[in-house]
Amino acid sequence: MSMITWPVPVPSLPEGVYAPLADAARAAAAAYGAARQRYPRQQLAEEVATGADGTPTMLVDALVEAAIVDVIDQAQVNLLSEEAGFIDHGSAVTLVIDPMDGSANAAMGVPLSCFAGAVFRDGVATEALTVWLDTGRAWWAVAGEPTPYRTSGRTTMDGSSIAMLRPKDNSREAWLRVASRVDRVRVLSTTCLETALVAEGSMDAFVDPGSDTHRIMDLAAAMVTLPAAGGVVMDVRGRPLEFDLDLSRRWSGIAAATQRMADELAEAVG
């Protein structure tokens, strides 16, 4: 069985990241690197449990999240994560974390997976960090403060370059409607990384075309990073994106360069 042989770098984090969030990102990268050295691709992809969100947990998910839980236990802040669910330490601070976004990519060695987390203080998102695990590159944003990232500023689908979730049974028609309007479509299978790329202007938008796949941890980092970069994150059907411990809640997220572009995408999805 084949191994993934190249190393996972230590994340390159800017100064000022909330310490438990930074420590969680470093723990995720270290655990993923160790997992790649120890287990072959097929074993990393094995489903070993069902997460708190009701979806299958791959071995690579379990190993990375376990390392993060250890960090959070030491920091004594709360954690909301897709596998472990809510871990309550009685703190006013909750880290909403996707330990390994793009698990299928990560398990097979496709270098498109990331750690993403947001700091919620009394239910309000105040800070977000996304780390591209195979490169160590990081996007950090604080609510209400300027960032070095800016969206492309595009206001229309025509001529745009976007990413979408893969078409599913309940979203195929909408997927094709959107794809027929834009210039280029990518399917990278890692929402948190794709929304970060929208924030920095590498793509004009990302959208789930109505499949209601997203949980709060898929969108939490984008809820801070996109507005700070001049963009918009919203639900296709206009449902509020809000902190909630109920992991059965789902959204169809849009991350777009502008509100006008987001509205046009939502209309196209229908």
Side-chain angles (χ1 to χ4, degrees), residues 79-90:
L79 175 69
L80 183 63
S81 184
E82 58 184 312
E83 318 302 341
F86 184 59
I87 298 176
D88 187 359
H89 287 295

Side-chain angles (χ1 to χ4, degrees), residues 28-106:
Y32 180 39
R36 296 206 315 196
Q37 293 177 8
R38 181 176 180 184
Y39 298 100
R41 289 173 167 88
Q42 294 87 340
Q43 200 165 346
L44 289 173
E46 287 181 1
E47 295 178 1
V48 296
T50 299
D53 65 348
T55 62
T57 301
M58 293 183 183
L59 176 62
V60 69
D61 292 315
L63 293 170
V64 170
E65 187 180 71
I68 290 171
V69 169
D70 287 344
V71 167
I72 298 305
D73 286 345
Q74 294 175 32
Q76 288 294 290
V77 296
N78 305 333
L79 175 69
L80 183 63
S81 184
E82 58 184 312
E83 318 302 341
F86 184 59
I87 298 176
D88 187 359
H89 287 295
S91 173
V93 177
T94 298
L95 300 189
V96 177
I97 285 178
D98 195 334
M100 173 64 71
D101 185 54
S103 302
N105 288 342

Side-chain angles (χ1 to χ4, degrees), residues 3-251:
M3 306 289 287
I4 306 168
T5 57
W6 58 87
V8 176
V10 175
S12 179
L13 304 183
E15 293 184 7
V17 179
Y18 180 57
L21 182 60
D23 290 344
R26 294 188 187 102
Y32 180 39
R36 296 206 315 196
Q37 293 177 8
R38 181 176 180 184
Y39 298 100
R41 289 173 167 88
Q42 294 87 340
Q43 200 165 346
L44 289 173
E46 287 181 1
E47 295 178 1
V48 296
T50 299
D53 65 348
T55 62
T57 301
M58 293 183 183
L59 176 62
V60 69
D61 292 315
L63 293 170
V64 170
E65 187 180 71
I68 290 171
V69 169
D70 287 344
V71 167
I72 298 305
D73 286 345
Q74 294 175 32
Q76 288 294 290
V77 296
N78 305 333
L79 175 69
L80 183 63
S81 184
E82 58 184 312
E83 318 302 341
F86 184 59
I87 298 176
D88 187 359
H89 287 295
S91 173
V93 177
T94 298
L95 300 189
V96 177
I97 285 178
D98 195 334
M100 173 64 71
D101 185 54
S103 302
N105 288 342
M108 299 311 294
V110 177
L112 293 169
S113 62
C114 67
F115 162 93
V119 180
F120 283 76
R121 300 179 185 275
D122 294 320
V124 178
T126 60
E127 181 179 341
L129 177 69
T130 302
V131 175
W132 186 353
L133 290 169
D134 269 280
T135 67
R137 184 179 176 188
W139 294 261
W140 177 53
V142 176
E145 296 185 11
T147 73
Y149 329 116
R150 300 307 295 173
T151 72
S152 69
R154 182 173 287 275
T155 59
T156 179
M157 292 169 60
D158 298 328
S160 66
S161 173
I162 74 166
M164 284 198 282
L165 287 185
R166 64 178 176 84
K168 301 182 180 181
D169 289 344
N170 62 344
S171 63
R172 292 185 194 280
E173 292 184 6
W175 199 98
L176 290 171
R177 281 197 301 272
V178 173
S180 69
R181 289 278 309 279
V182 303
D183 184 62
R184 187 177 298 275
V185 176
R186 294 178 175 88
V187 180
L188 305 184
S189 301
T190 169
T191 291
C192 297
L193 180 57
E194 288 163 299
T195 57
L197 292 172
V198 175
E200 71 165 27
S202 298
M203 297 189 294
D204 299 312
F206 164 83
V207 60
D208 169 4
S211 70
D212 283 356
T213 293
H214 291 135
R215 303 143 302 181
I216 185 61
M217 58 277 301
D218 296 308
L219 301 171
M223 290 164 61
V224 177
T225 308
L226 260 296
V232 173
V233 60
M234 58 181 273
D235 174 65
V236 161
R237 299 182 173 92
R239 295 164 295 195
L241 301 179
E242 56 193 4
F243 176 74
D244 195 331
L245 301 181
D246 180 5
L247 294 184
S248 68
R249 289 188 70 180
R250 295 288 191 272
W251 292 270

